[in-house]
Amino acid sequence: MDLPLWFEVGTLVVLVLLLIADLLIVTRRPHAPSMREASLWVAFYVGLAVVFGIVLGFVGHGQASGEFFAGWLTEYSLSVDNLFIFVIILAQFRVPRKYQQSVLMFGILTAVVLRGIFILLGAALINEFAWVFYIFGAFLVYTAVKLANQQIHHEDHDEDYENAFVRRAQRVLPMTKEYHGVKLRIRENGKRLYTPMVIVFLSIASADLLFAVDSIPAIFGLTQEPFIVFTANIFALMGLRQLYFLIGGLLEKLVYLSAGLAVILAFIGVKLVLHALHENNLPFVNGGEPFHNVPEVPIWLSLSVIVGTLVVTTVLSLMKSRRDDRKAAPAGGAAGPAQGEVEDSTDGASEADDASEAAEHDRR
C-alpha cells in the first residue's frame, strides 16, 4: 500500500502534538470534566478519526480507508471494554475524582508506547514469518471463546483487580496512606515515602500490557499496514479519558458487550487463519504450498460484520437494561426518592470536600 511519505509523517506529527496538548491540559488543570466538556472532546476525537479515514481514502484508496475504519472500530470497542478495568482500579484504590484525569492520561500514554512496541514486533514477525497468522488467529479465537464464556456465565470483570507484581510492591515499598496530588514520592518526617499513586500507576500499566496483547493481533487480522495499525490505535485511545467521564454508568448498561466482542474477535480470528492458509509456507502443511482455493475475506465484509455486531450489541444491551429498570422500579417504590435525596446530599458533601481541598491546595 503506497501512501505519500509527507502524509504519513504529517499525520504522526499532528497526532503527537495532539497527545502533548492533551497532556498539558491535564497537568496544568487537574479536574473532573463536566458532561458538556467530555461530550465535546469525545465528539472532536471521533470526528477527527472519521475525517482522517475519509482523507485516507482520497490520498491512498478505498482499501486503505476501509481497513482504517474496520481497525479503528475494533480497537475502539476493545477500548470501551477496557474502561471497565480502569473503573475498577480507580474505585478500588479510591483515587480522588480530580486526579483521575491524570491517571487516565498516564494510562493512555503507556498504552501508546506499549502498542507501538507490539506493532513493530508484530510487523517484523509478519514480514519474516507468514505462519505467525496461525498463532494470531488461534489466540483471537481463544479470546473470543473466553469472552463468550464470560457472557454465558454472567461473569463480571474482577473487582479485585490486582496481580502478584502490584501486591509485592505494596508489601515492599514504604508508603503513605494518603494521596499527595499526583506525586509518586514525598519526604515525610525526614523519610522518603511512596504514595498510593505508585500502585495505581503500576496497576494501570500492567492492565495496558494485557490490553496490548489482546488488541494488536485483532487489528493485524484486518490490515498488515503498520501505519494504519498505529493510527487506528492512536485514534481509538484519544478521547478515551473523556469517554470515561462521559459514559460512566452507561458501561453497566452494555451487558452484551462481551458477546459482541466475542463475535468480532472470532470472525477476525477465522479471517486470519484463512489468510494464513492462503499464504501458507509451513513445510508440514500441504507440503509448504499455499492453499490457493481458500477464499480471502474482503475488507467490506469485515467492516460490515464489525459495524453490524456493534450496532446489534448496543441496541440489545440498552433494551435489556431498560427492561431490567422497569422490573426494578416497582420494587424501589416510595423508597426511591428518599434514597435519591441521601445520594444527592452525599454527592453535595463530596463536592464540598473537593472544593475545600482545592482551596487549601491553592493557598499552599
mmCIF file of all heavy atoms in Angstrom, residues 191-221:
data_model
loop_
_atom_site.group_PDB
_atom_site.id
_atom_site.type_symbol
_atom_site.label_atom_id
_atom_site.label_comp_id
_atom_site.label_asym_id
_atom_site.label_seq_id
_atom_site.Cartn_x
_atom_site.Cartn_y
_atom_site.Cartn_z
ATOM 1 N N LYS A 191 11.810 11.094 56.037
ATOM 2 C CA LYS A 191 11.875 9.820 55.313
ATOM 3 C C LYS A 191 11.279 9.974 53.917
ATOM 4 O O LYS A 191 10.336 10.736 53.709
ATOM 5 C CB LYS A 191 11.090 8.736 56.069
ATOM 6 C CG LYS A 191 11.698 8.346 57.405
ATOM 7 C CD LYS A 191 10.864 7.238 58.045
ATOM 8 C CE LYS A 191 11.457 6.812 59.376
ATOM 9 N NZ LYS A 191 10.649 5.742 60.020
ATOM 10 N N ARG A 192 11.862 9.246 52.980
ATOM 11 C CA ARG A 192 11.331 9.195 51.623
ATOM 12 C C ARG A 192 10.251 8.112 51.557
ATOM 13 O O ARG A 192 10.518 6.945 51.810
ATOM 14 C CB ARG A 192 12.447 8.858 50.626
ATOM 15 C CG ARG A 192 13.434 9.988 50.400
ATOM 16 C CD ARG A 192 12.862 11.005 49.447
ATOM 17 N NE ARG A 192 13.841 12.006 49.053
ATOM 18 C CZ ARG A 192 13.584 12.991 48.206
ATOM 19 N NH1 ARG A 192 12.372 13.099 47.691
ATOM 20 N NH2 ARG A 192 14.512 13.881 47.904
ATOM 21 N N LEU A 193 9.033 8.518 51.261
ATOM 22 C CA LEU A 193 7.915 7.582 51.201
ATOM 23 C C LEU A 193 7.223 7.668 49.851
ATOM 24 O O LEU A 193 7.140 8.747 49.246
ATOM 25 C CB LEU A 193 6.902 7.894 52.308
ATOM 26 C CG LEU A 193 7.398 7.804 53.756
ATOM 27 C CD1 LEU A 193 6.299 8.261 54.703
ATOM 28 C CD2 LEU A 193 7.849 6.384 54.091
ATOM 29 N N TYR A 194 6.738 6.520 49.386
ATOM 30 C CA TYR A 194 5.935 6.495 48.168
ATOM 31 C C TYR A 194 4.475 6.743 48.532
ATOM 32 O O TYR A 194 4.042 6.469 49.654
ATOM 33 C CB TYR A 194 6.084 5.154 47.457
ATOM 34 C CG TYR A 194 7.459 4.922 46.871
ATOM 35 C CD1 TYR A 194 8.441 4.252 47.607
ATOM 36 C CD2 TYR A 194 7.778 5.386 45.610
ATOM 37 C CE1 TYR A 194 9.712 4.046 47.077
ATOM 38 C CE2 TYR A 194 9.047 5.179 45.076
ATOM 39 C CZ TYR A 194 10.005 4.520 45.813
ATOM 40 O OH TYR A 194 11.252 4.326 45.290
ATOM 41 N N THR A 195 3.717 7.237 47.562
ATOM 42 C CA THR A 195 2.290 7.460 47.777
ATOM 43 C C THR A 195 1.502 6.328 47.103
ATOM 44 O O THR A 195 2.049 5.609 46.257
ATOM 45 C CB THR A 195 1.842 8.808 47.180
ATOM 46 O OG1 THR A 195 1.861 8.714 45.735
ATOM 47 C CG2 THR A 195 2.769 9.930 47.625
ATOM 48 N N PRO A 196 0.224 6.164 47.436
ATOM 49 C CA PRO A 196 -0.578 5.116 46.783
ATOM 50 C C PRO A 196 -0.667 5.275 45.274
ATOM 51 O O PRO A 196 -1.005 4.322 44.572
ATOM 52 C CB PRO A 196 -1.960 5.294 47.439
ATOM 53 C CG PRO A 196 -1.681 5.946 48.749
ATOM 54 C CD PRO A 196 -0.514 6.845 48.513
ATOM 55 N N MET A 197 -0.341 6.482 44.766
ATOM 56 C CA MET A 197 -0.407 6.709 43.322
ATOM 57 C C MET A 197 0.559 5.795 42.567
ATOM 58 O O MET A 197 0.325 5.441 41.407
ATOM 59 C CB MET A 197 -0.095 8.170 43.009
ATOM 60 C CG MET A 197 -0.472 8.607 41.598
ATOM 61 S SD MET A 197 -2.253 8.500 41.265
ATOM 62 C CE MET A 197 -2.857 9.940 42.159
ATOM 63 N N VAL A 198 1.647 5.367 43.212
ATOM 64 C CA VAL A 198 2.590 4.441 42.584
ATOM 65 C C VAL A 198 1.883 3.127 42.246
ATOM 66 O O VAL A 198 2.030 2.581 41.141
ATOM 67 C CB VAL A 198 3.798 4.174 43.508
ATOM 68 C CG1 VAL A 198 4.645 3.038 42.974
ATOM 69 C CG2 VAL A 198 4.642 5.421 43.659
ATOM 70 N N ILE A 199 1.117 2.614 43.194
ATOM 71 C CA ILE A 199 0.407 1.348 42.989
ATOM 72 C C ILE A 199 -0.652 1.509 41.896
ATOM 73 O O ILE A 199 -0.861 0.605 41.074
ATOM 74 C CB ILE A 199 -0.246 0.870 44.297
ATOM 75 C CG1 ILE A 199 0.810 0.747 45.391
ATOM 76 C CG2 ILE A 199 -0.961 -0.453 44.098
ATOM 77 C CD1 ILE A 199 1.907 -0.244 45.060
ATOM 78 N N VAL A 200 -1.322 2.667 41.883
ATOM 79 C CA VAL A 200 -2.327 2.924 40.854
ATOM 80 C C VAL A 200 -1.677 2.904 39.470
ATOM 81 O O VAL A 200 -2.177 2.266 38.534
ATOM 82 C CB VAL A 200 -3.023 4.283 41.100
ATOM 83 C CG1 VAL A 200 -3.980 4.607 39.957
ATOM 84 C CG2 VAL A 200 -3.775 4.266 42.420
ATOM 85 N N PHE A 201 -0.542 3.597 39.337
ATOM 86 C CA PHE A 201 0.156 3.641 38.049
ATOM 87 C C PHE A 201 0.639 2.248 37.637
ATOM 88 O O PHE A 201 0.578 1.890 36.455
ATOM 89 C CB PHE A 201 1.332 4.608 38.124
ATOM 90 C CG PHE A 201 0.949 6.061 37.981
ATOM 91 C CD1 PHE A 201 -0.372 6.445 37.906
ATOM 92 C CD2 PHE A 201 1.912 7.046 37.916
ATOM 93 C CE1 PHE A 201 -0.747 7.770 37.776
ATOM 94 C CE2 PHE A 201 1.568 8.381 37.783
ATOM 95 C CZ PHE A 201 0.227 8.747 37.713
ATOM 96 N N LEU A 202 1.134 1.464 38.599
ATOM 97 C CA LEU A 202 1.573 0.102 38.286
ATOM 98 C C LEU A 202 0.394 -0.748 37.807
ATOM 99 O O LEU A 202 0.536 -1.547 36.874
ATOM 100 C CB LEU A 202 2.218 -0.542 39.520
ATOM 101 C CG LEU A 202 3.601 -0.025 39.928
ATOM 102 C CD1 LEU A 202 4.041 -0.684 41.235
ATOM 103 C CD2 LEU A 202 4.628 -0.289 38.841
ATOM 104 N N SER A 203 -0.756 -0.585 38.441
ATOM 105 C CA SER A 203 -1.942 -1.342 38.047
ATOM 106 C C SER A 203 -2.390 -0.970 36.639
ATOM 107 O O SER A 203 -2.716 -1.838 35.819
ATOM 108 C CB SER A 203 -3.085 -1.085 39.033
ATOM 109 O OG SER A 203 -2.733 -1.488 40.333
ATOM 110 N N ILE A 204 -2.401 0.345 36.354
ATOM 111 C CA ILE A 204 -2.807 0.811 35.031
ATOM 112 C C ILE A 204 -1.839 0.299 33.969
ATOM 113 O O ILE A 204 -2.250 -0.164 32.891
ATOM 114 C CB ILE A 204 -2.853 2.357 34.998
ATOM 115 C CG1 ILE A 204 -4.001 2.884 35.879
ATOM 116 C CG2 ILE A 204 -3.004 2.869 33.573
ATOM 117 C CD1 ILE A 204 -5.378 2.672 35.326
ATOM 118 N N ALA A 205 -0.540 0.363 34.264
ATOM 119 C CA ALA A 205 0.470 -0.073 33.289
ATOM 120 C C ALA A 205 0.356 -1.566 32.999
ATOM 121 O O ALA A 205 0.454 -2.004 31.847
ATOM 122 C CB ALA A 205 1.872 0.258 33.800
ATOM 123 N N SER A 206 0.140 -2.377 34.052
ATOM 124 C CA SER A 206 0.009 -3.820 33.837
ATOM 125 C C SER A 206 -1.259 -4.147 33.065
ATOM 126 O O SER A 206 -1.285 -5.065 32.235
ATOM 127 C CB SER A 206 0.027 -4.564 35.175
ATOM 128 O OG SER A 206 -1.028 -4.126 36.012
ATOM 129 N N ALA A 207 -2.338 -3.378 33.309
ATOM 130 C CA ALA A 207 -3.571 -3.572 32.539
ATOM 131 C C ALA A 207 -3.336 -3.218 31.070
ATOM 132 O O ALA A 207 -3.805 -3.921 30.165
ATOM 133 C CB ALA A 207 -4.693 -2.720 33.119
ATOM 134 N N ASP A 208 -2.609 -2.120 30.822
ATOM 135 C CA ASP A 208 -2.294 -1.722 29.447
ATOM 136 C C ASP A 208 -1.530 -2.807 28.711
ATOM 137 O O ASP A 208 -1.740 -3.030 27.511
ATOM 138 C CB ASP A 208 -1.456 -0.426 29.442
ATOM 139 C CG ASP A 208 -2.318 0.809 29.625
ATOM 140 O OD1 ASP A 208 -3.503 0.764 29.243
ATOM 141 O OD2 ASP A 208 -1.810 1.817 30.139
ATOM 142 N N LEU A 209 -0.639 -3.481 29.414
ATOM 143 C CA LEU A 209 0.135 -4.554 28.800
ATOM 144 C C LEU A 209 -0.787 -5.685 28.330
ATOM 145 O O LEU A 209 -0.649 -6.207 27.218
ATOM 146 C CB LEU A 209 1.169 -5.087 29.793
ATOM 147 C CG LEU A 209 2.082 -6.209 29.304
ATOM 148 C CD1 LEU A 209 2.906 -5.748 28.114
ATOM 149 C CD2 LEU A 209 2.993 -6.685 30.431
ATOM 150 N N LEU A 210 -1.753 -6.044 29.190
ATOM 151 C CA LEU A 210 -2.710 -7.085 28.819
ATOM 152 C C LEU A 210 -3.573 -6.648 27.643
ATOM 153 O O LEU A 210 -3.871 -7.439 26.738
ATOM 154 C CB LEU A 210 -3.604 -7.433 30.017
ATOM 155 C CG LEU A 210 -2.902 -8.050 31.231
ATOM 156 C CD1 LEU A 210 -3.891 -8.239 32.371
ATOM 157 C CD2 LEU A 210 -2.250 -9.377 30.867
ATOM 158 N N PHE A 211 -3.972 -5.364 27.633
ATOM 159 C CA PHE A 211 -4.807 -4.857 26.543
ATOM 160 C C PHE A 211 -4.060 -4.909 25.216
ATOM 161 O O PHE A 211 -4.637 -5.231 24.174
ATOM 162 C CB PHE A 211 -5.233 -3.411 26.823
ATOM 163 C CG PHE A 211 -6.034 -3.247 28.086
ATOM 164 C CD1 PHE A 211 -6.121 -2.009 28.718
ATOM 165 C CD2 PHE A 211 -6.694 -4.315 28.660
ATOM 166 C CE1 PHE A 211 -6.846 -1.858 29.890
ATOM 167 C CE2 PHE A 211 -7.428 -4.174 29.837
ATOM 168 C CZ PHE A 211 -7.506 -2.935 30.442
ATOM 169 N N ALA A 212 -2.774 -4.560 25.238
ATOM 170 C CA ALA A 212 -1.974 -4.566 24.010
ATOM 171 C C ALA A 212 -1.869 -5.974 23.432
ATOM 172 O O ALA A 212 -1.940 -6.171 22.217
ATOM 173 C CB ALA A 212 -0.586 -3.987 24.286
ATOM 174 N N VAL A 213 -1.708 -6.950 24.318
ATOM 175 C CA VAL A 213 -1.605 -8.347 23.876
ATOM 176 C C VAL A 213 -2.893 -8.786 23.182
ATOM 177 O O VAL A 213 -2.869 -9.547 22.203
ATOM 178 C CB VAL A 213 -1.303 -9.269 25.076
ATOM 179 C CG1 VAL A 213 -1.416 -10.743 24.686
ATOM 180 C CG2 VAL A 213 0.090 -8.975 25.622
ATOM 181 N N ASP A 214 -4.046 -8.284 23.657
ATOM 182 C CA ASP A 214 -5.331 -8.645 23.054
ATOM 183 C C ASP A 214 -5.585 -7.899 21.741
ATOM 184 O O ASP A 214 -6.070 -8.475 20.765
ATOM 185 C CB ASP A 214 -6.483 -8.327 24.016
ATOM 186 C CG ASP A 214 -6.588 -9.363 25.126
ATOM 187 O OD1 ASP A 214 -6.038 -10.463 24.950
ATOM 188 O OD2 ASP A 214 -7.197 -9.060 26.158
ATOM 189 N N SER A 215 -5.279 -6.598 21.725
ATOM 190 C CA SER A 215 -5.744 -5.749 20.629
ATOM 191 C C SER A 215 -4.888 -5.808 19.374
ATOM 192 O O SER A 215 -5.419 -5.740 18.262
ATOM 193 C CB SER A 215 -5.833 -4.292 21.105
ATOM 194 O OG SER A 215 -4.543 -3.780 21.398
ATOM 195 N N ILE A 216 -3.573 -5.944 19.516
ATOM 196 C CA ILE A 216 -2.710 -5.886 18.337
ATOM 197 C C ILE A 216 -2.952 -7.053 17.376
ATOM 198 O O ILE A 216 -3.079 -6.839 16.166
ATOM 199 C CB ILE A 216 -1.224 -5.799 18.754
ATOM 200 C CG1 ILE A 216 -0.982 -4.510 19.558
ATOM 201 C CG2 ILE A 216 -0.333 -5.816 17.528
ATOM 202 C CD1 ILE A 216 -1.456 -3.239 18.881
ATOM 203 N N PRO A 217 -3.054 -8.315 17.854
ATOM 204 C CA PRO A 217 -3.392 -9.385 16.902
ATOM 205 C C PRO A 217 -4.732 -9.145 16.208
ATOM 206 O O PRO A 217 -4.892 -9.503 15.040
ATOM 207 C CB PRO A 217 -3.452 -10.635 17.797
ATOM 208 C CG PRO A 217 -2.560 -10.323 18.938
ATOM 209 C CD PRO A 217 -2.758 -8.862 19.194
ATOM 210 N N ALA A 218 -5.681 -8.525 16.907
ATOM 211 C CA ALA A 218 -7.000 -8.285 16.320
ATOM 212 C C ALA A 218 -6.908 -7.356 15.116
ATOM 213 O O ALA A 218 -7.495 -7.630 14.061
ATOM 214 C CB ALA A 218 -7.950 -7.706 17.369
ATOM 215 N N ILE A 219 -6.162 -6.274 15.252
ATOM 216 C CA ILE A 219 -6.108 -5.318 14.142
ATOM 217 C C ILE A 219 -5.209 -5.819 13.016
ATOM 218 O O ILE A 219 -5.427 -5.508 11.848
ATOM 219 C CB ILE A 219 -5.665 -3.921 14.630
ATOM 220 C CG1 ILE A 219 -5.940 -2.889 13.531
ATOM 221 C CG2 ILE A 219 -4.212 -3.910 15.049
ATOM 222 C CD1 ILE A 219 -5.799 -1.457 13.982
ATOM 223 N N PHE A 220 -4.203 -6.641 13.342
ATOM 224 C CA PHE A 220 -3.380 -7.232 12.282
ATOM 225 C C PHE A 220 -4.196 -8.223 11.459
ATOM 226 O O PHE A 220 -3.801 -8.581 10.343
ATOM 227 C CB PHE A 220 -2.144 -7.920 12.863
ATOM 228 C CG PHE A 220 -0.938 -7.021 12.930
ATOM 229 C CD1 PHE A 220 -0.342 -6.731 14.142
ATOM 230 C CD2 PHE A 220 -0.405 -6.458 11.782
ATOM 231 C CE1 PHE A 220 0.763 -5.900 14.219
ATOM 232 C CE2 PHE A 220 0.701 -5.626 11.840
ATOM 233 C CZ PHE A 220 1.288 -5.339 13.055
ATOM 234 N N GLY A 221 -5.316 -8.664 12.000
ATOM 235 C CA GLY A 221 -6.212 -9.514 11.226
ATOM 236 C C GLY A 221 -7.008 -8.743 10.199
ATOM 237 O O GLY A 221 -7.629 -9.331 9.310
#
